[in-house]
Amino acid sequence: MKTASRLSLLKPSPIRAITDGTPPGAIPLGLGEPTWDLPEPARLALLRAPGPCGYVPHAGLTDLRKAVATFHGASVDEVLITTGSQGALFALFQAWVEPGTKVLVPDPGFVAYPALARMAGAEPVPYPLSPDRFRLDADALLKVLAATPDASAVILNLPSNPTGGGGDLDALRRVAEACVARGLLLISDEVYRDLHFGVRPPGLREVTDRGVVVSSVSKGWGAPGLRVGWAIGDPAWLTPARVVHGYAVTGTATPAQWAALALLEHSDAILAEARAAIRGRWEALAEALREHLGQTVSPPDGTFYHFMPLPPSAHVDPLAFALRLRDEAKVVVIPGLAFGEGGRGHLRLSFAATPEQLREGVKRLAPYWRG
Ligand SMILES: Cc1ncc(COP(=O)(O)O)c(C=O)c1O
């Protein structure tokens, strides 16, 4: 048996390499998912399912599209419902990224972006984030863009997985103007935008309606298992992506769309509760870092990730260091290098875990920083 040659372009995710071997009793600070219960409106919607459970239009359940449109200040025909934001990213890449072209991706950045570019036959080109807080640095991105005449798409992710860094409106505007001027697909991945610590990070639609925003109920609404996401943008960008998504999966599971609709209808309360949950967890983490490592930290712009500097001795082989933390200290964290060379000196610690897990996890990590 021989797999298709395109598969050779995909490397197995280092995140899975760490999490798959998790020993019993280990504290999970690795995976990026909410650990609190699915909010009640979604649970009730799943119980109240009407009789038939049929297909819905490829673009998604009309009421859900309306709710997403209202949330984003868009019109219904600017909304495509997808299987998570990942489904939106896949469909957009397949529809618009020409083989042989290049896609600008943040470094460090979400591991799926380079893989999706390669699956579309393109080459991912990393652009750096600001060196201080890993925020969007328009000058750095535009420099890479200017040196990449064969770029077909640019991906933004504010606030960022894995760094939690955001960006300001002016930086977004400058990047958007450059992409519009060159006719490039600009995708703004805003899945973490509502998980912030005070000020809501800027969104692409505040500066232009000529890019595509992707998001989902997976993070802020606490429902990654529903697999409901969306793309917002000009129907001219979305229609070809809808065709790809339709052939790939037909549509997102209908009951999941009912549940997502119930979540969207209670957005204010659900998102406020999620922010309170991550605020409480952040405080537990910050307190533990102060107590056990003597570190004073400030919260990220958003997300539930703390991008933590590694001890210098771990920079040479961050993956081996993370495996030691997993197998000896029994704490699962992800080496920043998994997200690109720009993350080499850090690790990603997810504070979506419970406060007790965070306190115990940091206590177990402390000897590795001291020694
Ligand atoms: C930055 C970012 N974008 C997209 C996704 C995909 O999420 P989903 O498909 O659940 O919306 C993730 C998941 O971790 C993520 O971190």
Side-chain angles (χ1 to χ4, degrees):
M1 285 201 294
K2 190 171 176 308
T3 54
S5 55
R6 78 177 73 83
L7 211 67
S8 65
L9 303 170
L10 296 186
K11 299 181 213 118
S13 160
I15 299 188
R16 289 289 163 191
I18 297 271
T19 55
D20 282 354
T22 300
I27 301 195
L29 308 182
L31 281 182
E33 59 182 358
T35 54
W36 45 93
D37 286 346
L38 177 65
E40 194 171 1
R43 276 185 279 143
L44 293 178
L46 290 170
L47 287 175
R48 274 200 308 260
C53 182
Y55 295 116
V56 296
H58 280 188
L61 194 68
T62 306
D63 285 347
L64 177 58
R65 291 175 71 209
K66 280 186 193 156
V68 170
T70 305
F71 186 82
H72 285 270
S75 63
V76 180
D77 63 352
E78 290 177 300
V79 179
L80 170 66
I81 303 298
T82 55
T83 45
S85 58
Q86 188 102 15
L89 290 167
F90 175 78
L92 286 162
F93 274 60
Q94 290 294 321
W96 289 103
V97 172
E98 184 67 12
T101 61
K102 301 204 168 113
V103 178
L104 267 63
V105 299
D107 177 17
F110 179 43
V111 292
Y113 304 142
L116 290 167
R118 290 195 181 99
M119 283 165 75
E123 188 190 324
V125 174
Y127 65 84
L129 304 176
S130 73
D132 49 346
R133 297 199 61 198
F134 293 101
R135 306 181 88 232
L136 173 62
D137 178 342
D139 287 331
L141 190 159
L142 293 177
K143 199 170 151 199
V144 176
L145 189 59
T148 316
D150 46 354
S152 55
V154 173
I155 314 299
L156 300 177
N157 176 216
L158 316 179
S160 142
N161 173 11
T163 72
D168 59 45
L169 211 54
D170 186 54
L172 261 186
R173 183 174 293 115
R174 289 177 58 209
V175 172
E177 279 169 6
C179 291
V180 170
R182 279 181 50 178
L184 304 180
L185 171 62
L186 173 60
I187 300 179
S188 178
D189 179 343
E190 300 182 4
V191 285
Y192 296 101
R193 187 172 174 210
D194 289 290
L195 289 179
H196 57 76
F197 289 81
V199 184
R200 191 177 191 225
L204 186 66
R205 290 184 69 84
E206 288 174 63
V207 300
T208 182
D209 56 5
R210 299 197 42 202
V212 179
V213 171
V214 300
S215 188
S216 73
V217 294
S218 297
K219 314 292 180 179
W221 286 271
L226 286 182
R227 310 305 308 128
V228 177
W230 49 84
I232 315 278
D234 188 323
W237 286 121
L238 300 189
T239 304
R242 190 192 69 210
V243 173
V244 172
H245 192 261
Y247 279 120
V249 293
T250 305
T252 300
T254 309
Q257 295 195 56
W258 295 327
L261 173 60
L263 291 174
L264 264 290
E265 284 170 347
H266 295 82
S267 290
D268 287 349
I270 290 171
L271 296 174
E273 271 172 40
R275 281 192 288 273
I278 59 162
R279 163 72 65 184
R281 286 153 203 248
W282 167 259
E283 281 164 9
L285 173 65
E287 176 58 36
L289 288 170
R290 201 164 31 244
E291 184 182 337
H292 298 294
L293 277 90
Q295 293 182 359
T296 306
V297 289
S298 38
D301 293 316
T303 72
F304 35 60
Y305 302 123
H306 176 49
F307 210 48
M308 183 174 171
L310 286 171
S313 60
H315 290 208
V316 182
D317 193 347
L319 182 61
F321 183 70
L323 287 170
R324 267 185 76 203
L325 296 179
R326 183 193 75 182
D327 297 334
E328 293 174 11
K330 301 227 173 0
V331 182
V332 180
V333 286
I334 308 298
L337 188 59
F339 304 94
E341 190 55 41
R344 175 177 284 276
H346 289 73
L347 62 77
R348 188 191 77 176
L349 186 157
S350 168
F351 57 90
T354 65
E356 298 70 38
Q357 288 174 317
L358 291 163
R359 280 190 278 269
E360 176 61 21
V362 172
K363 194 168 148 195
R364 291 187 193 180
L365 291 181
Y368 296 81
W369 264 253
R370 282 195 226 107

